[in-house]
Structure formats: structure tokens, C-alpha cells
Amino acid sequence: MSDKRATREALGATLLELAAEGRDDIVVLDADLAKATTTVKFAAAHPDRFFDVGIAEQNLIGTAAGLAAGGRTAFASSFAVFATGRAYDQVRNSVCYGNLDVKIAATHAGITVGPDGGSHQMVEDIALMRVLPNMRVLVPADYRAAAGAIRAAASTPGPFYIRLGRPALPAVYDDAFEFEVGRAYVLRAGTAVSLVACGAMVTRALDAANLLAAEGIAADVVDAATIKPLDEDTILASVTKTGAVVTCEEHSIIGGLGSAVAELVGEHAPVPLERVGVRDVFGTSGEADELMEHFGLSAGDIAAAARRVIARSSLSSS
Amino acid sequence: MTTADIPTIARTCRQMRRDIIEMVGAAGSGHPGGSLSAVEIVATLFGAAMEHDPARPDLPERDRFVLSKGHAAPVLYAALAESGYFPREELSTLRKLGSRLQGHPDARKLPGVEVSTGSLGQGLALANGLALALRLDDNAASTVYCLLGDGELQEGEVWEAAMLAAHYRLGNVVAIVDLNGLQIDGPTCEVMDVGDVGAKFAAFGWEVLTCDGHSLHELLAAFGAARLHRGGPVVIVARTMKGRGVSFMEGLCDWHGKAPNAEQCATALSEMAEGSAL
Ligand SMILES: [Mg+2]
């Protein structure tokens, strides 16, 4: 596909657009990764409103919180592993406790970081961010959604975590797409199983739906682009229709989208559920696509999980 | 800098000490030691050094105060009540359910609190952010004051922030270190020696001033000098005594986070009666 683009590329580009549209209140901070996160584009155009804090992620979040307390909308960017893990207490106490207008736009999330290996492959960030009061968590599926997520966060007061990735992803949405915080998007309508995915797994869920369609199984595919607040209505409507659900995320099966959907479905509409994700292990070096196969995050893995929940669903209903 | 004479600030200090003992005593928990060591520092800031208006806590031209050692909330609450940010009667609600006077300062609840603090080591980065925002606002008048504990200097983020303030030449940042030499587990030199605090900040590119943190005269002079230095950040290393003003608390780390009982409160308050040494 010629239009494959990384979600992280939307960061620098969208911040530039927002500045051009007159958002002088936006400041951007990075911790010596501006080239990789792409905030360097903003830095070059608006050096007065860009602050590199050096290799000091606690300082990144703390300084951003101070700028937000001073009336700015502060975007803080680093790799997901450092922005959420290294600076967790700053995110909790300096940002979320004070409900400050800080947008943590973290790139290189998940295992698709690739060859850098397990130390840098962050698969716990959604869990860490989701549990914080006042925090909202966005996991865009493609470049267009990422740009929309950044815009939506910029225009909505309060803390946000925006999860962005390193590799180029196929387009899911067209240029008319507008990201809405708290909304899940039904990308394909089916009756037999709900595939609820986020981020890089949305395309794989759509691929899995194609595999299942060839077997006569019609899958609902839902992009849960906002993990928090979760679009409970859309997800419940899907699972009550299909009676079976598979969650798909490039994240640990503990604490992320799978947990959020399990909590919702368990309380309101118990149906057979399987979580496709990283199974409580650290990552390892390899190319992104190899790793997605290695950790069981391929379209085939999703389709297999779908067959299993459908079997369990028909058992319980027969 | 407003003009308040030393006897007036001294009277305020006496009242703030009484407030600290009474509110921590009523709460049954809290941090008297590090509140008492910072009384003169905070009283001088709110009574003389800082421009602020309790009637307009969001006045753009105000100076900002960040209590990085957030557990010393009682000394801040005493100063805010004394300044008129809220009724004095509210001091007795400290740490109680529904109170605006949280165990550690909560900016969302109480006017006059710029940012929420309490997890040590985070205040200076917040102060830097406020200072950068003032610079972007072309506000050259306001200064951000940040009070740190000496045990708190063991947190790495303090030094990340110290680097940043010097790198960005934040001449509108004034840090004060309440150098009382004690922390929960014992003397700082035994728990984890913070060494020569002034030399450390100087090595990080800060202008360093030192003073007796209980001398109003020296504090006023230090704040006056700090205000004139706009080329970069200034730190005032203020030598203090933990528990200052209460004979049985002075110099004892046991009173870091313990409330006096009714009898101890009465003893402490009698020591602070009009005409006593402090
Ligand atoms: Mg101390």
C-alpha cells in the first residue's frame, strides 16, 4: 500500500497545523527524542514554544504540568515506555491529581518497536494510564485517526494519553474522518462475533474478518479508538448482537483494552470472550511483523480466537 | 515586594506557629516539624517578599508559590489564612473529610495553592513550568518561589529540574531550601548525605545565597537580593531547625510526622505566648 504511514508521523505534522491555525497556547516538550517522535517539526518552526528537557522524563512531565498550570496546553512526547513508566508518579501526581491540561503523546508503543527489543517494547502503558482518574486514553488505528486524536485532545481540557506507534500502518480511515473522544467506530457489520480492536490491531481485525467471511462467519469489527472513556453503548450493542467477543491489542492482555471490555461485558452482558494480546511476557528483538506473528497477534490468531468464542457461545446457548 | 516591618512579620510567625500546633493537634496527624522549621521563610514570602492579593488569587501579576515539600501544608495553610485567603476557622478542618485543607496541598480545592504537591521532588519542575509560562506571557514582573526540603533533595527529579532552570536561564525562579538537617529516618547526613547543598546548586549553574532561615532580617535581605538577580535561577539555602519554637520538638526527627496530643499542644502553645522568646 502506498499510503502506509506511521501514527507517530501525525504528531509533528498535526502540532504544526494547530500552530498554523492560531493555537499559540500549545507548547511542546520532548526528552531528546524529538526526531523519533517527530516533534522536531514543531521545534524547527516554533523554537520559542518547544522545550527539550534532555533525557529526563520525570522532568518532561513535571515541566509540562507546570506549563499547563500556567495556562498552556502542553504536549509532552517521548517513547511510551519512558513517558508512562519512568514518569508514572509525575503523570499521577503532577498531571492527573491536579487535572492539568497535559497531553502525553507517546510514540514507539507496543512490540512493533521491533529490533530495540523488550526493554523498549511497552505493552503495559494502556493499563498504567487507564487506571488514573482524570486521564483519557486514545489509541488511534492509522495516521488519519492519530491526527484526529491529537486534534481532539488539543481541544478538550485535561489530561490525555495518546498512544502512537513506530511502523507505517495501512489507512483505515479516509480524509473525511473526524475523531471523537469516547466513540468507538463500527467498521464492519456482522452477526457471529465482535472483534473489538485498537491501534495497529484494527487492520488485523479487519483482515481476520475477511478470513472468517470466507468460512461464512460474519464478524462485527469495532475500533475502540478511545480506551477511556470506553464507548460502552457501541460495544455492548455489538456483543449483545453477536453473543461472542474477541479483543485485539498490541498490549498485554492484562489491564488494557481486553480488560476494559471484559469489565464492561462481565458486568452488563456476559458473553464468551477471548483476549488477543501479549500474554504477560516481555518483548524481544525482531522485525515488527515477525513479532506480531511470534506473540500471537496476527489476523490468523484473531480468527482462531473468534472460532473458539463462537463455539463457546453456541455451547452456552444450545 | 511589599513593605511589612519585621515586628509585624514576627507577630505573624508567632500566630502561624500557634496555628500549626492547633491544626495538627486537632487533626491528630500531620507534619509539625518541617512546618515549624519553615515558618519564617513562608511568613516572609507571604508577608513581604511576594506580590499577591488574597481577593484575586488568579491575578496575572502575582508571584507564585510552590510548596514542593508538600507535607509542610500546615505552614502554608497558616500563611494563607493569615493573608486572608480563607477564614481562620477553617484551619481546624485540616485533614478532615470534606475539608479544602487536604493532608497535602490541593490546588483544585484551595485558593492560593498554585499546584498540587505532596509527592516529594516534583515541585521544582512544576515551578519551572510556571516560570516558562510566565516568560511566554511576557510577564517579566512575576517570580516563582519554590520551597524544598533538604531530605527532598535526594529525589533525582530535583536535579533534573535544577539543570533545566539553569539551561533555560529561568531568572524568575527562586528556590528556597529549608535546610533543617533532618528527615523521617534520621539526620540527612546519616540517611543519605545531601552534602554541600549550596555547592551542588552552584555546580548546576544557580546563583546561591545562604541565610539563617529563622532570621527575618536575613530572609528579607536574601529575598531582596534574589529578586534583583534576573539572569538565572537563584537558590536561598536557609539553615533552619526542625520543630523550631516548640522546645520538645526542636531538632528531633521524631516530630517529622507526628501530631502532639492535647497536653503537648497546651505545653507548646504556652511556650508561644506573647512575650516568649520567639
Ligand atoms: Mg528536612
Side-chain angles (χ1 to χ4, degrees):
Chain A
M1 253 191 186
S2 58
D3 62 344
K4 281 178 80 167
R5 296 172 85 180
T7 51
R8 67 179 155 126
E9 287 178 46
L11 181 57
T14 308
L15 290 170
L16 265 186
E17 286 172 18
L18 288 165
E21 292 161 18
R23 286 294 302 269
D24 295 344
D25 60 311
I26 291 178
V27 295
V28 181
L29 301 91
D30 208 302
D32 195 40
L33 289 168
K35 290 173 189 155
T37 64
T38 75
T39 60
V40 68
K41 289 185 180 172
F42 182 93
H46 305 283
D48 53 325
R49 280 181 272 146
F50 175 83
F51 304 100
D52 203 318
V53 304
I55 308 165
E57 293 78 16
Q58 302 175 38
N59 202 29
L60 170 79
I61 301 299
T63 310
L67 275 153
R72 305 281 149 170
T73 293
F75 275 80
S77 187
S78 179
F79 287 0
V81 65
F82 309 128
T84 65
R86 185 62 170 257
Y88 187 75
D89 190 41
Q90 283 72 20
V91 176
R92 181 187 188 277
N93 279 308
S94 284
V95 175
C96 289
Y97 187 63
N99 198 21
L100 292 170
D101 202 20
V102 174
K103 322 300 180 185
I104 300 165
T107 68
H108 296 65
I111 56 173
T112 52
V113 172
D116 276 354
S119 60
H120 284 56
Q121 291 166 2
M122 185 44 150
V123 294
E124 311 98 67
D125 53 330
I126 297 174
L128 287 172
M129 296 295 102
R130 186 170 79 89
V131 76
L132 289 168
N134 294 330
M135 181 63 94
R136 277 155 289 194
V137 179
L138 311 181
V139 185
D142 71 355
Y143 179 94
R144 189 71 197 80
I150 291 157
R151 280 181 172 276
S155 62
T156 311
F160 272 83
Y161 179 64
I162 309 163
R163 189 186 209 232
L164 305 168
R166 173 175 181 258
L169 299 177
V172 174
Y173 297 102
D174 61 26
D175 287 344
F177 177 74
E178 287 203 23
F179 192 100
E180 240 180 89
V181 176
R183 182 170 164 200
Y185 299 89
V186 179
L187 301 178
R188 179 171 173 141
T191 51
V193 62
S194 301
L195 307 180
V196 181
C198 64
M201 293 300 279
V202 172
T203 295
R204 285 172 175 79
L206 288 166
D207 291 346
N210 281 332
L211 295 175
L212 293 166
E215 302 165 22
I217 300 170
D220 233 29
V221 179
V222 179
D223 174 10
T226 302
I227 308 287
K228 185 186 171 189
L230 196 63
D231 184 346
E232 301 187 347
D233 292 346
T234 299
I235 292 169
L236 284 175
S238 176
V239 302
T240 50
K241 176 179 68 174
T242 63
V245 58
V246 176
T247 60
C248 321
E249 64 195 307
E250 187 197 346
H251 183 272
S252 172
I253 55 167
I254 300 172
L257 173 66
S259 293
V261 171
E263 290 155 14
L264 175 72
V265 169
E267 279 188 345
H268 297 285
V271 297
L273 173 147
E274 283 221 15
R275 293 163 296 158
V276 170
V278 178
R279 306 196 72 79
D280 196 20
V281 291
F282 285 112
T284 188
S285 287
E287 293 304 324
D289 286 338
E290 291 178 324
L291 291 169
M292 294 296 262
E293 294 278 343
H294 177 78
F295 286 105
L297 273 66
S298 69
D301 294 305
I302 298 169
R307 290 183 205 103
R308 289 194 296 271
V309 285
I310 290 167
R312 284 165 55 201
S313 176
S314 46
L315 263 180
S316 58
S317 61
S318 62
Chain B
M1 191 139 161
T2 54
T3 50
D5 56 285
I6 285 179
T8 302
I9 305 171
R11 269 196 301 280
T12 303
C13 288
R14 190 192 308 277
Q15 184 59 46
M16 284 170 59
R17 283 205 161 81
R18 296 184 65 88
D19 291 340
I20 289 166
I21 293 302
E22 285 178 349
M23 78 175 102
V24 174
S29 69
H31 298 83
S35 295
L36 291 167
S37 66
V39 165
E40 280 77 15
I41 297 167
V42 176
T44 306
L45 279 167
F46 281 81
M50 290 201 319
E51 287 292 344
H52 68 115
D53 180 357
R56 290 193 58 193
D58 56 352
L59 190 74
E61 297 78 28
R62 73 191 183 281
D63 290 323
R64 275 74 167 163
F65 177 72
V66 176
L67 184 66
S68 193
K69 49 174 288 186
H71 57 276
V75 72
L76 174 60
Y77 299 155
L80 291 174
E82 195 65 28
S83 304
Y85 281 88
F86 56 84
R88 296 184 45 80
E89 300 75 62
E90 208 169 331
L91 290 174
S92 61
T93 68
L94 173 71
R95 288 178 164 252
K96 298 206 169 105
L97 185 63
S99 174
R100 297 193 290 176
L101 278 57
Q102 292 287 294
H104 295 80
D106 185 338
R108 289 182 302 163
K109 291 196 162 74
L110 195 63
V113 177
E114 292 287 344
V115 287
S116 301
T117 52
S119 180
L120 291 178
Q122 300 195 19
L124 191 54
L126 290 165
N128 287 341
L130 287 169
L132 288 168
L134 289 172
R135 180 182 283 181
L136 290 167
D137 290 340
D138 291 322
N139 179 339
S142 298
T143 295
V144 185
Y145 295 92
C146 178
L147 178 59
L148 299 127
D150 50 0
E152 178 180 14
L153 302 182
Q154 292 154 1
E155 291 279 7
E157 188 190 359
V158 172
W159 301 103
E160 296 182 0
M163 240 184 292
L164 185 141
H167 180 84
Y168 285 104
R169 296 190 172 80
L170 296 179
N172 52 356
V173 168
V174 175
I176 309 101
V177 176
D178 178 4
L179 195 80
N180 60 30
L182 297 178
Q183 58 192 114
I184 299 176
D185 276 354
T188 51
C189 60
E190 290 177 17
V191 176
M192 179 50 61
D193 196 353
V194 294
D196 185 336
V197 171
K200 279 194 168 67
F201 273 98
F204 274 75
W206 287 55
E207 182 74 13
V208 180
L209 305 171
T210 58
C211 74
D212 176 344
H214 298 305
S215 161
L216 299 179
H217 179 76
E218 289 192 27
L219 283 166
L220 281 169
F223 283 124
R227 183 116 203 171
L228 292 177
H229 182 89
R230 302 305 274 189
V234 180
V235 62
I236 299 171
V237 180
R239 296 180 308 275
T240 60
M241 177 182 281
K242 201 150 181 162
R244 168 82 166 187
V246 177
S247 61
F248 59 88
M249 290 187 182
E250 285 189 349
L252 294 177
C253 57
D254 282 351
W255 287 100
H256 171 91
K258 188 172 76 173
N261 62 27
E263 193 184 332
Q264 290 163 330
C265 280
T267 307
L269 292 171
S270 71
E271 292 179 2
M272 296 166 192
E274 201 71 37
S276 65
L278 269 169

